[in-house]
Amino acid sequence: MSGATPKSDRTRAHVREVAIRMLRDVGYERTTMRGIAEAAGVSTGNAYYHFASKDALVQELYLEVQHEHAALAAPVLAAGGTLTDRLRGVWHAGVDAFEPFHAFGAGFLSVAIRPGSDASPFSAASGPAREASRALFEEVVAGAEPAVPSRLRAELPELLWLAQLGVTLFWVHDTSPGRARTRRLVEQGAALVGHVVRLSRLPVARGVVDDALRLVRAVHPERPGPEPDEATARRLPESPATEEGTA
Amino acid sequence: MSGATPKSDRTRAHVREVAIRMLRDVGYERTTMRGIAEAAGVSTGNAYYHFASKDALVQELYLEVQHEHAALAAPVLAAGGTLTDRLRGVWHAGVDAFEPFHAFGAGFLSVAIRPGSDASPFSAASGPAREASRALFEEVVAGAEPAVPSRLRAELPELLWLAQLGVTLFWVHDTSPGRARTRRLVEQGAALVGHVVRLSRLPVARGVVDDALRLVRAVHPERPGPEPDEATARRLPESPATEEGTA
């Protein structure tokens, strides 16, 4: 990227835009770097100069969709509201943002879900898009009124992001008009999450909340271990640190 | 199937066995009907006489795995126990039963998850394997001590079967030694389910349970509508029949 000039930046942006449109309109299998270069009016070598592979352009598509999701979710996140309101709004915004890519998603799911795939939402390559998506759910939780109980605040965004993956998996398979089934799922899902979080305030629900937190930790994909300080900060006083000893 | 003789039955069983072994050992992509026929010592035509396609043999593999799962789960289901005990045991039995097919699953997931795939757990073609799997979770719920509250009994097996799909999706991606991460997931998942069901007995949790039941109904894939009688039977007095009006 050294030596980038305004002209080079414009070429990069143009190739990126053409690639996203092509992936969206003709699908992953039928999109090639050569086809992208031709449609963008640049040499194949030039396209490769800006993007190492078709898969790198899929990551650009991911980022574009996340950008759109964030834009559509912004009014919801600025408006305050309960956890349920905010989550419902952000999930609906996601269905709206993803919609142009439904056919792409139906074809691409096979690639993205292959174990070890760079296109997996858990891969290192998907890090930037993943962080953009997670940030939305951080905001959902941080701005909720009434406030989410402190013992849930650290883990809930991660859980909601995992739920977003579930919603996306459901959406890819949803052929109902207007994605009506996905709309119902996010309505009911947001109501359930809000209800569970309200219930978690009661002492009687303490054990269930602890179980749920342990489950989230158990399912979390391996990732570079946090620094000791960070690990301590994430382990709130109320949550017993027994999750390692259960298997 | 008319004109089936003992010899024809034996040939069918042999082709089936060879096909399952080949799918397991060399994967879906590299398995062909011709290769199966050769390895089974029959003509390709004869293999096709017994099984319409490679995908029909994948269904036989599904049934074989379900059969093994049921066999390994039988002692757990016969032993009484709490909902958590039974669910934990049945899920661990599943991890054991699926294990020989882990490499197959990693390769085949891409095919099975493709929207509209006959190999999807929701497809018509997968009906027999799906019913076998569901039956295990019916038994998990029916035999639990203390008994599962009546308002949950109709929907819980379906929910647990959906959770089984989630566990399987997780397992396919799990490369930890001994599937330790999946083992943790089912331990924590079973504890959580048991805890939630215990909590559901309290009036304060009523709303959450209703939300959860509505969610299950919202996510349920389209299927042939139940007969009116059955629909009435499934809609228990306590659960408001409002799930249609929420989207």
Side-chain angles (χ1 to χ4, degrees):
Chain A
M1 278 304 158
S2 65
T5 66
K7 176 159 185 288
S8 169
D9 286 354
R10 281 198 305 276
T11 304
R12 184 181 192 281
H14 179 58
V15 170
R16 179 181 187 276
E17 194 190 326
V18 167
I20 291 172
R21 201 167 60 221
M22 191 173 280
L23 287 164
R24 182 192 70 197
D25 295 344
V26 309
Y28 179 77
E29 294 298 341
R30 287 167 56 208
T31 297
T32 62
M33 286 297 277
R34 192 174 158 168
I36 292 166
E38 270 172 27
V42 304
S43 70
T44 307
N46 198 352
Y48 274 113
Y49 170 78
H50 290 289
F51 298 100
S53 64
K54 184 166 79 164
D55 288 343
L57 283 157
V58 168
Q59 291 297 338
E60 296 296 326
L61 182 152
Y62 280 4
L63 286 169
E64 185 66 24
V65 173
Q66 292 307 330
H67 183 79
E68 181 68 11
H69 189 183
L72 296 179
V76 173
L77 292 172
T82 65
L83 179 64
T84 292
D85 291 338
R86 296 167 70 78
L87 185 56
R88 182 198 290 121
V90 167
W91 272 341
H92 278 306
V95 177
D96 293 335
F98 296 177
E99 186 56 34
F101 299 92
H102 193 266
F104 169 80
F108 190 61
L109 176 61
S110 291
V111 178
I113 207 152
R114 201 166 285 155
S117 169
D118 271 356
S120 156
F122 298 101
S123 75
S126 299
R130 179 171 61 244
E131 289 315 314
S133 181
R134 273 188 182 143
L136 289 180
F137 297 100
E138 298 271 358
E139 265 200 83
V140 163
V141 172
E145 296 156 10
V148 170
S150 62
R151 54 206 294 272
L152 287 179
R153 231 175 283 154
E155 318 269 0
L156 190 58
E158 179 74 14
L159 186 56
L160 297 179
W161 177 75
L162 289 169
Q164 164 76 57
L165 296 183
V167 169
T168 306
L169 185 58
F170 187 86
W171 167 83
V172 169
H173 290 91
D174 181 5
T175 55
S176 63
R179 313 296 164 214
R181 293 182 62 225
T182 305
R183 301 289 184 181
R184 279 203 297 275
L185 172 64
V186 305
E187 289 283 334
Q188 300 297 345
L192 178 62
V193 168
H195 224 130
V196 168
V197 170
R198 285 199 299 284
L199 191 67
S200 77
R201 292 195 173 81
L202 305 180
V204 73
R206 172 70 53 102
V208 167
V209 171
D210 287 343
D211 278 355
L213 293 177
R214 272 195 283 272
L215 178 65
V216 181
R217 292 179 199 126
V219 304
H220 203 291
E222 244 74 68
R223 56 178 174 184
E227 297 298 311
D229 291 356
E230 201 188 323
T232 311
R234 287 175 65 87
R235 200 161 281 157
L236 301 170
E238 304 102 310
S239 51
T242 56
E243 73 275 19
E244 255 82 52
T246 51
Chain B
M1 281 304 163
S2 64
T5 65
K7 178 158 184 290
S8 169
D9 287 353
R10 280 198 305 276
T11 303
R12 184 181 192 281
H14 179 58
V15 170
R16 179 182 188 276
E17 193 189 327
V18 166
I20 291 172
R21 201 167 59 220
M22 191 173 280
L23 287 164
R24 184 192 68 197
D25 295 342
V26 309
Y28 179 77
E29 293 299 340
R30 288 167 56 207
T31 297
T32 61
M33 285 298 276
R34 192 172 155 169
I36 292 166
E38 269 172 27
V42 304
S43 70
T44 307
N46 197 351
Y48 274 112
Y49 170 78
H50 290 290
F51 299 100
S53 64
K54 183 166 80 166
D55 288 345
L57 282 157
V58 168
Q59 291 297 338
E60 295 297 325
L61 182 153
Y62 280 5
L63 286 170
E64 186 65 23
V65 173
Q66 292 307 331
H67 183 78
E68 181 66 11
H69 189 184
L72 295 179
V76 173
L77 293 171
T82 65
L83 179 62
T84 292
D85 292 337
R86 295 167 71 78
L87 186 54
R88 182 197 291 122
V90 167
W91 272 341
H92 278 306
V95 176
D96 293 334
F98 296 179
E99 186 55 33
F101 298 92
H102 193 266
F104 168 81
F108 190 61
L109 177 61
S110 291
V111 178
I113 208 152
R114 200 166 286 154
S117 168
D118 271 356
S120 157
F122 299 101
S123 74
S126 299
R130 178 170 61 244
E131 288 315 313
S133 182
R134 274 188 181 143
L136 288 180
F137 297 99
E138 299 271 356
E139 264 199 84
V140 164
V141 171
E145 297 156 10
V148 170
S150 60
R151 53 207 292 275
L152 286 179
R153 231 175 284 155
E155 317 269 1
L156 190 58
E158 179 74 14
L159 184 56
L160 297 178
W161 177 75
L162 288 169
Q164 164 77 57
L165 296 183
V167 169
T168 306
L169 185 58
F170 187 86
W171 167 84
V172 169
H173 290 90
D174 181 5
T175 55
S176 64
R179 311 297 163 214
R181 293 182 62 225
T182 306
R183 300 290 183 182
R184 279 203 297 276
L185 172 64
V186 305
E187 289 283 333
Q188 300 298 344
L192 178 61
V193 168
H195 224 131
V196 168
V197 169
R198 286 200 298 283
L199 191 66
S200 78
R201 293 197 171 80
L202 305 179
V204 73
R206 173 68 55 100
V208 168
V209 171
D210 287 344
D211 277 355
L213 294 177
R214 272 195 284 271
L215 179 65
V216 180
R217 292 181 198 123
V219 304
H220 204 290
E222 244 74 68
R223 55 177 176 184
E227 297 297 313
D229 291 356
E230 202 188 320
T232 312
R234 286 174 64 89
R235 201 162 279 158
L236 300 169
E238 304 102 308
S239 51
T242 56
E243 72 275 18
E244 256 82 52
T246 51

